[in-house]
Amino acid sequence: MTDYYLAVDIGASSGRHILGWQENGKMRLEEIYRFTNELENKNNHLCWNMERLFAEVVNGIKKCKELNRLPKSIGIDTWGVDFVLLDENMQMLGDAVGYRDSRTAGMDEEVYKIIDEKQLYARNGIQKMIINTIYHLYALKKQQPELLAAAKHFLMIPEYLNYRLTNVIKNEYTNATTTQLVNADTRDWDWELIDMLGLPKNIFGKLYMPKETVGNFSEAMKKQLGFSCEVVLPATHDTGSAVMAVPSNNEDDIYLSSGTWSLMGIERLIPDCTEKSRLHNFTNEGGYHHRYRYLKNIMGMWMMQSLRKEFKHAYTFEELFTLAYIGRYFKSTVDVTADCFLAPASMSEAIRNYCQQTKQPVPQTEGEILFCVYNSLAKCYSDVVQELEEMTGSCHKDIHVIGGGCQDRFLNALTAFYTKKDVYAGPVEATAIGNIAAQMLKAGEFSDLPEARRVIAKSFAVKKVNNNEFSFEVNNIRSVG
């Protein structure tokens, strides 16, 4: 009898239910359900529709029943940072405000009045980003203190969905680290910091590691779905799951998790919370089995996704990079980590404004705008590689591009062009694969993560990027700013 494992992988633009199993020594996947996801304007904030999200989670699980492929376990992963608060009756307090919302404007400076930015990084090693949970919670304290006063539980998005399935509350380590409230050394909530910020300590629960059981379906869910199932914690932060699926056990390999965000870095066994690391703006996010994901967050495919929505023609992603290739002689570049690209009313206007403000030629055509983004992303990747090598003192030969963005042949080729590294693309569904791998590790199908990665490497297509696929005549490209 085949044991199936269900990964519910929800990103900022879509979600998918993917069944995984082992067959003849290889991991197999089947996508059985997919749905869209996006922020909604509600009460003057950008919010997630949690009722709709949970309904879609349930719809996908029902599909397993229809296909008569009942999973041995289920794991849910999502993006990081965002959370909900529950009151004493286990009801949501307020809205699930999304990380792109502007309520955090100025909150970094408010936090730094309490704890110096250098001291904050020395405690948690987390990259300074205005989207981080710490600034959202402090915004709540300033703007809606009654919600924090009434809160009894703090749950990240996947933890809330787990609770709705099981009636069990468990906070998970990898996602908790994205809050900037976890101590990098103790791997637990930084209770002293939480006190300093005046946040209620009682809402933060014990941190559990990937592979832990959350619980079985509640009686109400059993009745609704027609079967019972164990819910297991994967690395509930999607990047944590994606990195588990890197098809290599070479500690010197760089990964680039490419999706709405680009997460580029390496795995380490100890954090680097030094001042030099802070100045380079690297983050030490928690990974599987107490590993650290030493990486940098980059805006990623979000910029292309936003442009695609703005353009009058509904281009496919293949057509987008064809247009970008046509515009490859355009030389201006932008800082793809700049806050102005986080949630602009118009991405094309934000790009034009940036070029104008930095006294560079302003892109006019769709091809010029697209190449500006592609070129800037690849240049940023190259800069991060150089910074990683400076920080580690090592030469990193290979880059593994994983996730949906690894299908973008043009960006992969540009990355190889700039970094002068061997670039490998795949697997595509890295987050779901890592999610399933954690469940299989829990079930004893793999002895450890290196074994899981060996199976992943032989199970899914991984292609070396052909540096000669595109011709790049992009010499004398101007530096940002």
Side-chain angles (χ1 to χ4, degrees), residues 44-64:
N44 297 317
H45 290 288
L46 295 173
C47 303
W48 302 109
N49 186 333
M50 295 307 300
E51 286 306 311
R52 178 179 173 273
L53 268 184
F54 181 66
E56 294 288 16
V57 169
V58 171
N59 287 340
I61 297 173
K62 286 180 178 177
K63 195 69 177 177
C64 295

Side-chain angles (χ1 to χ4, degrees), residues 11 13 17 31 40 57 60 97 100-101 106 139 160 198 218 236 239 269-270 272 304 328 354 372 385 415 469:
S13 57
H17 289 58
E31 181 183 302
E40 301 176 359
V57 169
V97 176
R100 294 188 189 277
D101 188 74
Y160 175 70
S218 66
T236 63
T239 309
L269 296 180
I270 57 173
D272 184 346
M304 271 84 96
R328 68 190 181 280
Y354 187 98
C372 180
V385 169
T415 302
E469 183 174 5

Side-chain angles (χ1 to χ4, degrees), residues 210 235 239-246 267 288 430 434-435 437-438 441 449 452-453 456:
T239 309
S241 278
V243 170
M244 288 181 66
V246 173
E267 275 192 311
Y288 175 79
N435 181 323
L441 282 160
L449 183 57
R453 282 177 167 159
I456 290 166

